Amino acid sequence: MAELPSGLLEACVVLGASSDKLREIYQLQQPNKIKELPLLEPEVLQVHAPPFVSKETNSSQVIGPAFSRVQRRRSFIKKKRRDRSLEASANGEPASRVEATSTTEDISVPKDLDLIALPQLCFPGGLQLSTEQRDDSYHFLVFTDLFGNRTHGVVVQYYRAIQSCQDSGAQNGHRWNSSKSRLYAPFAICIISKFPYYNALRDCLSCLLVQLRPGRLADFEETVKEFSAKLSLVPMPPPGQLHVSFNLRPLQVVLPSREDQDRPVIDIDLHLPLLCFTHETLLQVLSCLLQEQRLVFFSADWARLTLVAESLLLYLQPLCWQQPYVPVLARGMLDFIMAPTALLMGCHISHFEEVAAETEDLILVNIDDSNIQTSCSENAELPTIPLAAAESFISRAECLQLHYDLELCHLGAGTDTNELRFHRRAWQRNLNSQIQNITLELVVNIFRGVQDFLNYEHRVFNSEEFLRTREPADQPFYKKVLDTHIFHSFLRDRLSRKLDAFSRMELNTRNHAHRNRAMTESPRRPLLSELSRSGYNSYNSPENRLSKRLGASLPNLEQPDTVAAISPNRPASLRKMTPDIGLKSPQKAVKVFRLPEFPPPLAYHYVQNYYSDMVASLGKAINATPPDDSALLARYHYLRGLVNTVSNRRLDALEDFQSLYKTDSDIFPSQMVKSLVDSLPDPERVQADRRPELKRLISRVKRDQERERARHGNEQEEGVVKRFELPKKYMQLEEFVKCVQESGIVKDQGTIHRLFDALTVGHQKQVGPDLFRVFYTIWKETEAEAQEVCLPASVSEHIEPSECVFKVSSSVKTSRGVGKIAMTQRRLFLLTDGRPGYVEVAQYRDIEEVKVSSAPFLLLRIPSLKLRVRGRKDAFEANLKTETELWNLMVKEMWAGRNMADQHKDPQYMQQALTNALLMDAVVGSLQSNKAIYAASKLAHFDRIKTEVPMMVPKTTAETLKHKINPSLELTAPQAVDVLLYTPGQLWVSVSGGKVMVFDASSWSLTHTCLQVGNARVNCMLGVDQDQVWMGSEDSVIYIISMVAMVCNRQLTEHRAEVTGLAVGTDKYSQKVGYSCSAEGSVMVWDVATLQVKKHFRLSCDRLLSVSNYNGTLWCCSRDSIMEVWRNGSLKHRLNLPEQQRGSAATFSSILLLPENEELWSVCADSAEVCVWHLKDTTRPYHRVALQDCAGCHCIIKVKNQVWVGGVGRSSTKGKIYILDTERHLVLKELHGHNDRVTSLCSAEDRYVLSGAAKHDGKIAIWKVE
């Protein structure tokens, strides 16, 4: 049978004292034989668990139409009452009518339901009889199984009179003999659910008590069972903005949905801790939780314990508490606190002194008095949240309005209970949202920058380096947190690049400099602007503490000759939060789906009719929802799929779930669909094969299952998080590469290979652990020295804000005074001794010569470094003595890197040169031998290129090229740029394996590091409208990305082969339509609004490559032909390869339509010709343009009156771009900008052309259009 979705109810349990014991106490109490009523032992009296109704099928399979997980069940032995003494005495009927015997009953309960401890938890203070009626009391429970899965319970205790009327007549058995005293016994009803619907389930129990009070106790069990059966019919709302409500009379109960897939259900008043604690105390408690201390909460109110604990854990999202958690401990469970592990538990305040005296190392939190202390000493120092994050949190929290009464001042007295509850819920939802934003920002501020110290390839976190960037006063906090399970799980999600609420807020609140710095791979150093006033202390000032990514920004972007910004037609990037942004985040509109009125829930056919009514209501809601509200449509389809699943309509359920691909694939229930597919009987499988959409879904499920099995062996490796550790044995090259990448020093494999050669000069080709430890230590010490540089204002005013100090010499005599030579990524300057001053030595681009010289001193010659600088008559000379040879190597490398960066307009050359120079420094320091300088010279990569193979960029290329971007910067090796797309203000870049990056076109800086679009190569991208970008993939799926939300949660799955081309146009009714084609020849026409296929036809060809729309026809390019096709799919005519190319290896690679000239241009992958065809005569090309030194062309676009063609050179494998005139059909320019073939071209508003290259280059060049 298919796995059924979890519903609201797991079980409903009734608990209380046994009837025998109650009768005994009652009889003793009447003649006053007992002075004090004893505590009784509670026990389970009733258990009600779904399914409540079932239908036997012909195959003897039991179908139970209820929302209940298919779960193994076990027996539970409870006492079974053969007598009716309790019922009789409670209703005034003679107890003597029945024989007082009891035996046991074996009942079936869900396997993971622990009924042994439940009686104690439902009566945590004990079961105490009373001589007077008491108010109903609610409290909340949390159960955790061995695997960390939590189940939640809501308990109500209510009192009923126990009485005997043996000595008096009774009218209808209800008249009370006033001569005897009353006795009241508490009963508990506990609803157990997989979901923390505390408020909703409390409302449900309130409604149940309304039914129970006037009823006869003889009907008690049936009433509770019917109540439980109704709750078992309630489906869970899907993640998103669709809530579910149902009527239990007298209340309308609402189940709020989760905000998204990664967030938990929140049906709780999150402001309770803010009412119970001061902000400072609250932060102390959160700090203890983050450090996994042993915490015990105390309160006189059992309900308050769970509600406060649950709220605090929600404050820490997405970090999840994984230690023992029992928010309510009964008096018989206090020994749990002795567990020698981190824990979070709750006790009654009456046990405070006992717990404090008996147990050490506990953090004791008194909720009622807003007090926190340790069990050792009240004066013990408690860990604190980092200061800057705490200050930000307090300033935000002070702005919250926590008192609902203030909202009611202007309102009159309400008379409609449900209306009053609606307004209260809306106020609470808004407040909860504000609190979630504030607490999420607190977590982001505490752990901001963690991702900068991760190595994703080897799943390593460099904890030591992360700690070094934290405030000294905060380091004890971080040292404890980094060793916790809660942080380890958080790291695992970061290493998996999980895009959750933390990731989104962290990205959105990064400042602009941080985003630019993220695009460089220079070693981490603080910017000079941050060090300028008071050295390192300024860098760590409170206003700067929350953004600690060190490094340099893109050098070329801030210079006058760089590419001009494109004005984006969209809002500017989100800036760092101002104090009230967290309070004013926009609320998403919420819809509430109201379930039909409950049927008699214990009759099978009534339940089936109920589900049919619910399906009909959801169908009406779907029809009434506009197509562009895809998120709401997805929720309705999801809900209807759940209902169809439990009512055994499998095919209809699969059809609803299939619809989620086009509306919101993020909520697609993979396991449920897999279970449904596996459970299909043969007749339904045959029906499914006749419905194309279901056949596709089933095929996809099977495909995913095979991939999951193939991945199964890697799951354990993917869950591992390693801390960086220095090696303990000798390393060959492969091990050395891995170790250096894990250390965070450098990622690029080519650089690491050169470092390996440097460290193994004169030795066997292996690096020992001692040598690596010395090298690593020197690298870190050099970083620390640079951070300690203290620059006065008179020096900092000469420095660019984005510059960093990377190396400082010892104090030396120079031709311009005595001082220390400082090296940044732009220049060398002298920090003069005595009164600190700034003397410019040279910017690297102005250097004309660097050489080692010697300066006379008495009878000696002291080694010195001599620099000749453009525009200066006298050379600069510094007596660097033993440092001379090293500085000579470093300055030459920086000079060569600067020249290459300027020539190629590629800032990464400068960053790579800087890394090389610093590695030279560390190599010389670690080797300490006469071969050290020779070894360091192995790293002089750009200086060697400059000396051996002068790389002059052709003048035409240099004038046209404006800038370069490296999208593979965070990867260990370059990746091919598969597709480029420009949308207003944004550049979309696809690299291998479905990775998509988004750049801000105003600065060409990265805004979204990696959107994962499937796992296969993206072949094509298209901006369909202002919010949709479509991406066709090798896995045959078209992925749809929302540009506003920046999420990929919709898919078009109708293609059966890899999607190769996309286009957009209008149909004959002027409605926007999309066109897509796949490799096997299929072409589909889509309604953009509804994402439905309007037409589907197939062409006969060899690998269909692209589709274009022009003047009522489609132009489709395949490898062997170009076809013009009518909109109905019929072939108008076909263009074959030109005669000269038939029989050769040449194949069409791309086409371009020029409607204004009535021309079609085509290029071939193995041909050096551009063929121009006339649209009215396509028998053969009427013009051919020969491209010099070209081995083949791969892409072609039109910009203004030019055609740009990307290909590869014949004499070398380097990429080439040819610019042709559309009128004269002549080659205007030939551009050399890539080291591998050009794979993609796109235009940015006709001002720039962007070109991407294959994997041996992997960069994007930005060209100016003239």
Side-chain angles (χ1 to χ4, degrees):
M1 183 177 175
E3 177 182 351
L4 294 177
S6 292
L8 180 61
L9 181 82
E10 284 283 297
C12 181
V13 184
V14 179
L15 308 100
S18 68
S19 58
D20 293 344
K21 193 66 179 175
L22 287 177
R23 184 173 58 253
E24 178 186 336
I25 296 295
Y26 179 80
Q27 289 172 352
L28 289 172
Q29 193 259 353
Q30 292 308 318
N32 296 319
K33 291 182 180 179
I34 53 174
K35 296 182 180 179
E36 185 176 342
L37 295 173
L39 284 175
L40 302 184
E41 188 72 26
E43 63 180 51
V44 174
L45 303 179
Q46 301 172 26
V47 180
H48 305 285
F52 292 94
V53 294
S54 60
K55 176 186 177 183
E56 294 286 342
T57 66
N58 294 332
S59 60
S60 299
Q61 184 184 47
V62 176
I63 299 173
F67 292 93
S68 169
R69 296 168 306 130
V70 171
Q71 51 194 335
R72 294 166 62 189
R73 302 173 78 86
R74 61 177 172 79
S75 295
F76 175 76
I77 307 299
K78 78 175 185 70
K79 289 184 179 179
K80 179 180 178 182
R81 296 186 306 277
R82 290 280 173 83
D83 68 294
R84 306 287 291 183
S85 58
L86 175 60
E87 292 88 337
S89 63
N91 288 282
E93 296 175 2
S96 58
R97 294 184 187 175
V98 285
E99 183 182 355
T101 61
S102 70
T103 179
T104 59
E105 180 184 5
D106 187 356
I107 62 174
S108 176
V109 298
K111 187 175 187 301
D112 53 0
L113 198 60
D114 181 10
L115 295 183
I116 305 300
L118 191 61
Q120 288 189 69
L121 293 172
C122 289
F123 294 94
L127 195 159
Q128 179 73 60
L129 301 181
S130 172
T131 57
E132 59 184 23
Q133 181 67 274
R134 293 186 181 179
D135 292 336
D136 303 333
S137 173
Y138 292 82
H139 68 276
F140 310 92
L141 304 174
V142 179
F143 314 97
T144 308
D145 66 16
L146 293 173
F147 305 103
N149 303 310
R150 289 180 189 161
T151 307
H152 308 268
V154 179
V155 183
V156 60
Q157 288 184 21
Y158 78 105
Y159 283 76
R160 292 196 70 131
I162 299 178
Q163 46 196 303
S164 174
C165 301
Q166 298 177 19
D167 302 326
S168 64
Q171 185 177 351
N172 295 326
H174 284 283
R175 198 173 64 194
W176 172 248
N177 183 357
S178 59
S179 65
K180 297 195 175 183
S181 61
R182 284 190 175 225
L183 191 62
Y184 295 88
F187 292 86
I189 302 175
C190 176
I191 300 179
I192 298 172
S193 175
K194 279 292 175 187
F195 305 92
Y197 281 112
Y198 297 116
N199 289 337
L201 293 177
R202 180 171 56 187
D203 291 346
C204 293
L205 285 172
S206 301
C207 295
L208 174 62
L209 292 187
V210 171
Q211 298 178 52
L212 290 177
R213 282 198 180 95
R216 298 172 65 248
L217 195 55
D219 300 328
F220 176 87
E221 183 167 354
E222 193 66 20
T223 303
V224 175
K225 183 177 182 180
E226 186 171 303
F227 165 80
S228 305
K230 286 179 179 178
L231 294 190
S232 74
L233 303 180
V234 177
M236 290 295 92
Q241 300 305 305
L242 180 65
H243 299 179
V244 165
S245 76
F246 53 93
N247 189 3
L248 266 184
R249 292 195 182 91
L251 298 181
Q252 190 73 24
V253 181
V254 176
L255 300 182
S257 60
R258 290 180 287 164
E259 191 169 329
D260 56 48
Q261 280 285 81
D262 300 316
R263 296 201 186 189
V265 168
I266 297 180
D267 187 30
I268 196 172
D269 297 347
L270 285 182
H271 67 292
L272 290 179
L274 291 161
L275 295 175
C276 294
F277 302 112
T278 65
H279 295 144
E280 292 74 14
T281 303
L282 177 58
L283 287 169
Q284 281 185 319
V285 176
L286 292 175
S287 176
C288 293
L289 289 170
L290 286 172
Q291 295 175 83
E292 292 186 350
Q293 302 282 340
R294 303 173 69 230
L295 286 95
V296 183
F297 289 178
F298 295 89
S299 176
D301 185 341
W302 294 108
R304 199 177 297 172
L305 289 169
T306 303
L307 296 178
V308 168
E310 285 284 284
S311 296
L312 291 171
L313 295 185
L314 288 169
Y315 287 4
L316 298 181
Q317 289 289 321
L319 287 86
C320 297
W321 179 264
Q322 298 177 344
Q323 300 294 343
Y325 173 46
V326 188
V328 171
L329 280 177
R331 64 171 62 196
M333 299 178 172
L334 292 181
D335 58 321
F336 285 21
I337 296 173
M338 307 294 290
T341 180
L343 51 84
L344 174 57
M345 298 191 181
C347 296
H348 195 272
I349 191 66
S350 59
H351 302 300
F352 186 92
E353 297 299 333
E354 177 186 353
V355 171
E358 294 293 329
T359 313
E360 294 186 353
D361 301 325
L362 289 178
I363 305 295
L364 309 175
V365 182
N366 187 331
I367 296 174
D368 300 340
D369 293 342
S370 182
N371 181 38
I372 179 172
Q373 65 185 66
T374 67
S375 57
C376 301
S377 166
E378 292 190 16
N379 299 321
E381 185 176 344
L382 295 171
T384 57
I385 292 281
L387 179 61
E391 290 174 349
S392 176
F393 172 81
I394 291 172
S395 68
R396 298 296 179 83
E398 287 172 347
C399 301
L400 289 169
Q401 172 55 267
L402 301 177
H403 302 285
Y404 182 58
D405 287 347
L406 295 177
E407 299 290 318
L408 302 177
C409 294
H410 65 289
L411 299 177
T415 56
D416 185 332
T417 303
N418 282 317
E419 183 72 15
L420 293 172
R421 283 161 47 81
F422 171 79
H423 288 299
R424 179 65 168 78
R425 274 197 307 269
W427 176 85
Q428 188 66 56
R429 178 175 172 270
N430 182 55
L431 179 59
N432 282 357
S433 178
Q434 294 173 6
I435 293 172
Q436 282 180 276
N437 282 333
I438 292 172
T439 54
L440 177 60
E441 191 195 16
L442 172 68
V443 174
V444 168
N445 286 338
I446 292 172
F447 297 109
R448 188 185 296 280
V450 162
Q451 71 277 8
D452 299 335
F453 300 89
L454 298 176
N455 179 279
Y456 295 97
E457 292 73 28
H458 304 297
R459 299 188 68 82
V460 172
F461 173 57
N462 197 326
S463 56
E464 289 186 9
E465 192 168 352
F466 172 77
L467 275 174
R468 198 170 55 79
T469 63
R470 305 296 102 178
E471 286 291 316
D474 298 334
Q475 289 193 7
F477 167 84
Y478 283 107
K479 284 178 181 176
K480 289 186 177 181
V481 170
L482 297 194
D483 288 330
T484 60
H485 289 86
I486 195 172
F487 182 73
H488 185 273
S489 178
F490 171 76
L491 272 185
R492 194 163 56 238
D493 288 340
R494 298 316 106 199
L495 285 166
S496 301
R497 299 183 187 270
K498 186 175 183 179
L499 188 62
D500 54 13
F502 177 94
S503 302
R504 288 189 287 270
M505 180 175 280
E506 199 281 333
L507 178 67
N508 289 339
T509 56
R510 282 185 193 175
N511 58 37
H512 186 70
H514 190 145
R515 294 187 188 202
N516 275 351
R517 277 179 265 166
M519 281 304 297
T520 64
E521 198 189 10
S522 59
R524 298 182 178 91
R525 299 293 193 281
L527 304 182
L528 283 186
S529 59
E530 294 166 337
L531 290 170
S532 57
R533 288 169 180 80
S534 58
Y536 195 40
N537 290 334
S538 170
Y539 172 63
N540 288 308
S541 61
E543 60 269 22
N544 292 330
R545 283 183 194 133
L546 304 182
S547 290
K548 286 206 168 185
R549 172 69 186 259
L550 310 180
S553 67
L554 293 170
N556 273 10
L557 291 180
E558 297 179 5
Q559 295 179 10
D561 58 344
T562 60
V563 56
I566 293 178
S567 302
N569 298 324
R570 62 186 180 87
S573 298
L574 291 173
R575 293 173 290 281
K576 194 166 183 175
M577 281 188 165
T578 54
D580 63 346
I581 285 182
L583 307 182
K584 295 183 179 178
S585 58
Q587 285 282 302
K588 296 178 182 177
V590 168
K591 288 278 187 180
V592 179
F593 176 72
R594 186 166 179 171
L595 302 183
E597 292 294 323
F598 286 118
L602 300 177
Y604 181 84
H605 66 281
Y606 283 127
V607 171
Q608 287 295 86
N609 291 339
Y610 171 75
Y611 285 137
S612 297
D613 292 345
M614 201 186 303
V615 167
S617 297
L618 286 164
K620 291 178 182 176
I622 289 170
N623 293 333
T625 304
D628 57 349
D629 196 349
S630 59
L632 183 58
L633 280 171
R635 272 73 199 167
Y636 284 137
H637 279 293
Y638 182 101
L639 205 52
R640 194 169 69 178
L642 295 187
V643 179
N644 280 324
T645 300
V646 297
S647 55
N648 214 34
R649 301 183 184 102
R650 299 183 188 88
L651 297 185
D652 292 341
L654 289 175
E655 200 166 90
D656 277 313
F657 293 137
Q658 163 74 11
S659 300
L660 297 179
Y661 282 124
K662 292 182 181 177
T663 49
D664 189 348
S665 59
D666 282 351
I667 63 172
F668 184 81
S670 303
Q671 287 303 315
M672 196 186 307
V673 172
K674 173 182 171 295
S675 176
L676 270 173
V677 170
D678 291 342
S679 70
L680 287 177
D682 291 339
E684 290 188 3
R685 179 62 64 95
V686 172
Q687 292 180 48
D689 288 341
R690 292 177 187 152
R691 293 157 73 169
E693 68 282 356
L694 292 188
K695 189 175 181 180
R696 283 194 302 271
L697 177 63
I698 292 171
S699 299
R700 181 164 185 165
V701 168
K702 299 292 185 187
R703 227 172 28 242
D704 291 345
Q705 284 181 268
E706 292 171 6
R707 287 176 187 160
E708 191 175 334
R709 281 194 290 270
R711 278 201 312 264
H712 189 67
N714 299 325
E715 284 181 0
Q716 187 173 356
E717 182 67 25
E718 288 175 2
V720 170
V721 178
K722 296 178 283 187
R723 297 285 179 88
F724 172 69
E725 294 181 355
L726 290 170
K728 297 185 172 79
K729 60 180 183 179
Y730 281 83
M731 296 178 288
Q732 305 291 340
L733 176 59
E734 184 177 347
E735 296 167 313
F736 180 78
V737 169
K738 181 180 178 183
C739 184
V740 172
Q741 288 176 340
E742 288 181 358
S743 72
I745 294 174
V746 65
K747 292 181 182 177
D748 178 64
Q749 291 184 359
T751 304
I752 300 174
H753 287 188
R754 291 189 288 273
L755 176 60
F756 183 79
D757 291 340
L759 290 175
T760 56
V761 164
H763 301 89
Q764 284 186 320
K765 289 298 179 181
Q766 56 183 7
V767 175
D770 293 338
L771 176 58
F772 188 86
R773 188 188 70 253
V774 172
F775 167 79
Y776 182 77
T777 303
I778 291 174
W779 176 269
K780 294 302 174 188
E781 286 175 350
T782 307
E783 281 188 355
E785 288 169 6
Q787 290 180 345
E788 291 167 2
V789 172
C790 185
L791 298 179
S794 58
V795 174
S796 62
E797 65 186 18
H798 298 278
I799 306 299
E800 295 279 347
S802 60
E803 284 186 81
C804 312
V805 168
F806 289 94
K807 173 71 177 171
V808 181
S809 74
S810 54
S811 188
V812 297
K813 176 183 177 299
T814 74
S815 58
R816 302 192 66 183
V818 177
K820 297 178 180 179
I821 299 175
M823 181 180 81
T824 76
Q825 74 268 38
R826 292 180 186 271
R827 73 190 81 214
L828 299 171
F829 65 90
L830 185 67
L831 277 170
T832 57
D833 285 352
R835 183 180 179 184
Y838 170 89
V839 177
E840 173 117 349
V841 174
Q843 293 199 21
Y844 300 121
R845 59 162 53 95
D846 296 331
I847 294 176
E848 292 182 337
E849 183 185 24
V850 180
K851 66 178 182 178
V852 175
S853 184
S854 60
F857 177 72
L858 300 178
L859 300 177
L860 303 174
R861 305 290 294 181
I862 298 174
S864 65
L865 183 69
K866 184 175 283 189
L867 280 72
R868 293 198 175 274
V869 182
R870 187 182 303 115
R872 293 183 189 168
K873 183 177 179 182
D874 299 328
F876 172 81
E877 188 169 5
N879 299 351
L880 285 161
K881 303 175 186 175
T882 56
E883 295 181 79
T884 302
E885 293 287 351
L886 172 60
W887 276 86
N888 176 55
L889 284 176
M890 291 195 301
V891 174
K892 279 186 174 179
E893 182 70 3
M894 297 295 285
W895 176 29
R898 179 75 268 171
N899 286 341
M900 288 192 67
D902 288 347
Q903 287 180 27
H904 293 269
K905 308 293 174 62
D906 187 349
Q908 199 200 351
Y909 285 122
M910 191 66 235
Q911 302 303 327
Q912 184 63 57
L914 176 59
T915 300
N916 294 342
L918 294 175
L919 290 173
M920 293 175 190
D921 179 38
V923 165
V924 169
S926 56
L927 292 180
Q928 295 292 328
S929 69
N930 55 2
K931 292 184 179 180
I933 295 298
Y934 172 71
S937 68
K938 297 280 187 183
L939 291 156
H941 179 58
F942 294 122
D943 187 45
R944 185 179 301 110
I945 291 175
K946 176 183 173 184
T947 305
E948 296 175 1
V949 188
M951 295 182 64
M952 292 301 297
V953 176
K955 181 180 179 183
T956 303
T957 299
E959 290 174 349
T960 311
L961 180 63
K962 303 309 296 177
H963 191 60
K964 277 195 177 179
I965 304 171
N966 182 12
S968 302
L969 194 61
E970 293 190 355
L971 307 176
T972 58
Q975 302 290 326
V977 177
D978 296 324
V979 192
L980 294 172
L981 171 70
Y982 176 82
T983 59
Q986 293 176 314
L987 172 66
W988 302 73
V989 181
S990 168
V991 296
S992 64
K995 297 183 182 70
V996 175
M997 302 174 188
V998 185
F999 292 81
D1000 185 341
S1002 63
S1003 60
W1004 305 119
S1005 59
L1006 190 67
T1007 59
H1008 286 79
T1009 306
C1010 184
L1011 295 169
Q1012 194 64 42
V1013 180
N1015 295 303
R1017 180 183 186 271
V1018 173
N1019 289 326
C1020 48
M1021 292 195 285
L1022 177 70
V1024 174
D1025 57 27
Q1026 292 182 346
D1027 185 42
Q1028 291 185 41
V1029 171
W1030 289 17
M1031 300 188 179
S1033 172
E1034 272 188 348
D1035 64 9
S1036 77
V1037 177
I1038 299 173
Y1039 296 90
I1040 301 177
I1041 293 183
S1042 166
M1043 287 189 276
V1044 175
M1046 206 53 74
V1047 293
C1048 175
N1049 63 356
R1050 287 187 284 172
Q1051 302 172 15
L1052 306 179
T1053 59
E1054 278 75 357
H1055 280 287
R1056 309 307 302 147
E1058 62 176 292
V1059 180
T1060 53
L1062 294 167
V1064 68
T1066 55
D1067 61 13
K1068 58 184 178 181
Y1069 304 109
S1070 299
Q1071 298 294 317
K1072 182 174 280 190
V1073 292
Y1075 302 95
S1076 62
C1077 65
S1078 50
E1080 93 290 15
S1082 289
V1083 178
M1084 294 189 184
V1085 186
W1086 304 86
D1087 185 321
V1088 171
T1090 63
L1091 301 182
Q1092 299 299 318
V1093 177
K1094 300 184 69 173
K1095 193 172 292 296
H1096 175 202
F1097 54 88
R1098 185 163 180 172
L1099 303 174
S1100 175
C1101 59
D1102 175 20
R1103 186 175 174 82
L1104 189 54
L1105 299 174
S1106 66
V1107 59
S1108 305
N1109 174 53
Y1110 166 64
N1111 197 25
T1113 60
L1114 299 177
W1115 289 83
C1116 303
C1117 175
S1118 68
R1119 292 199 298 193
D1120 61 348
S1121 63
I1122 302 169
M1123 295 155 282
E1124 186 179 7
V1125 183
W1126 295 108
R1127 281 176 172 167
N1128 62 8
S1130 59
L1131 183 66
K1132 185 177 180 183
H1133 63 269
R1134 184 188 297 263
L1135 289 70
N1136 295 310
L1137 281 167
E1139 294 178 4
Q1140 293 88 336
Q1141 295 171 356
R1142 289 180 193 166
S1144 69
T1147 57
F1148 285 120
S1149 58
S1150 187
I1151 63 171
L1152 174 68
L1153 284 165
L1154 300 182
E1156 62 277 15
N1157 296 348
E1158 294 190 334
E1159 291 177 349
L1160 171 71
W1161 294 44
S1162 67
V1163 293
C1164 294
D1166 299 295
S1167 171
E1169 282 187 338
V1170 177
C1171 296
V1172 184
W1173 312 68
H1174 201 286
L1175 293 179
K1176 293 183 178 179
D1177 180 11
T1178 55
T1179 53
R1180 62 170 180 244
Y1182 81 92
H1183 198 87
R1184 302 172 191 266
V1185 182
L1187 305 178
Q1188 291 187 350
D1189 188 32
C1190 178
C1193 304
H1194 300 279
C1195 45
I1196 181 170
I1197 64 168
K1198 177 182 179 294
V1199 187
K1200 293 184 177 178
N1201 60 346
Q1202 302 171 352
V1203 170
W1204 291 53
V1205 178
V1208 62
R1210 185 176 296 280
S1211 59
S1212 69
T1213 58
K1214 294 183 178 179
K1216 301 182 79 172
I1217 297 174
Y1218 300 88
I1219 305 177
L1220 287 73
D1221 186 285
T1222 57
E1223 300 295 333
R1224 295 177 291 161
H1225 302 153
L1226 299 176
V1227 177
L1228 302 176
K1229 289 182 182 179
E1230 189 177 313
L1231 307 176
H1232 306 256
H1234 294 284
N1235 292 324
D1236 203 345
R1237 63 187 176 91
V1238 177
T1239 55
S1240 55
L1241 292 168
C1242 78
S1243 168
E1245 299 178 2
D1246 281 355
R1247 294 174 58 192
Y1248 300 101
V1249 168
L1250 298 100
S1251 60
K1255 65 179 181 179
H1256 293 300
D1257 180 273
K1259 294 183 180 179
I1260 299 166
I1262 302 170
W1263 308 88
K1264 187 176 181 180
V1265 177
E1266 295 178 353

